[in-house]
Amino acid sequence: MKSYRKELWFNVKGRRELINITPQVRDCLRESGIAEGLLLCNAMHITASVFINDDEPGLHQDYDEWLERLAPHAPVNQYRHNVGEDNADAHMKRQVMGREVVVAVTEGRLDFGPWEQLFYGEFDGGRKKRVLVKIIGE
């Protein structure tokens, strides 16, 4: 069995951003030489998420607005975690969106359904962030 590991780095400019990482993950799969196995992709930051969904701008805006209603950033003093910080809402948004995904690898490709894409969701950006890609298989 082969094993492959790579970190993908992103410069997140704003506080919140959704980044389609499917092309970079496909590149990792190609580099790995693995044709049959499993791919794990996870956020390496406690205020970020990796998830699978449709790459449709209206849906992305809906996510942003829904998450902000669920765990609003302001006022920051509404959260106990924000003593000296201002990112409690980002931790909660990450909890809802999830930490990682596992994707089957079949015949050297990501075994996705129609419209499925991989996304990195950042909820406390403004600096470099990373995602781990780990692939195991034959």
Side-chain angles (χ1 to χ4, degrees):
M1 181 167 55
K2 294 183 201 175
S3 176
Y4 172 93
R5 181 188 189 278
K6 185 170 186 177
E7 292 179 7
L8 305 176
W9 288 84
F10 303 96
N11 286 313
V12 179
K13 296 167 191 74
R15 181 167 191 85
R16 295 190 308 267
E17 188 174 353
L18 297 182
I19 302 169
N20 186 330
I21 62 172
T22 308
Q24 295 94 325
V25 173
R26 282 193 174 122
D27 290 344
C28 290
L29 181 54
R30 227 177 343 271
E31 288 173 18
S32 77
I34 295 171
E36 299 291 329
L38 294 173
L39 180 145
L40 167 75
C41 188
N42 68 270
M44 299 289 282
H45 299 276
I46 199 72
T47 58
S49 175
V50 172
F51 62 95
I52 296 173
N53 215 307
D54 191 0
D55 192 5
E56 195 276 311
L59 178 62
H60 297 184
Q61 184 176 351
D62 290 341
Y63 267 138
D64 191 50
E65 293 168 4
W66 176 69
L67 288 168
E68 192 58 23
R69 283 192 307 272
L70 220 63
H73 175 66
V76 294
N77 66 359
Q78 70 184 308
Y79 302 106
R80 290 184 193 97
H81 175 72
N82 280 346
V83 177
E85 297 189 57
D86 72 345
N87 67 355
D89 67 299
H91 290 275
M92 293 177 187
K93 289 170 176 136
R94 184 267 179 102
Q95 197 67 33
V96 170
M97 296 302 287
R99 176 183 184 265
E100 78 275 323
V101 297
V102 175
V103 179
V105 173
T106 304
E107 298 179 355
R109 61 178 174 71
L110 300 172
D111 209 343
F112 279 157
W115 309 111
E116 288 188 327
Q117 300 283 305
L118 274 163
F119 291 91
Y120 174 73
E122 177 56 54
F123 311 114
D124 185 29
R127 57 196 179 278
K128 284 186 78 170
K129 298 291 185 127
R130 65 194 166 127
V131 169
L132 172 68
V133 178
K134 179 76 173 189
I135 310 170
I136 57 172
E138 300 287 327

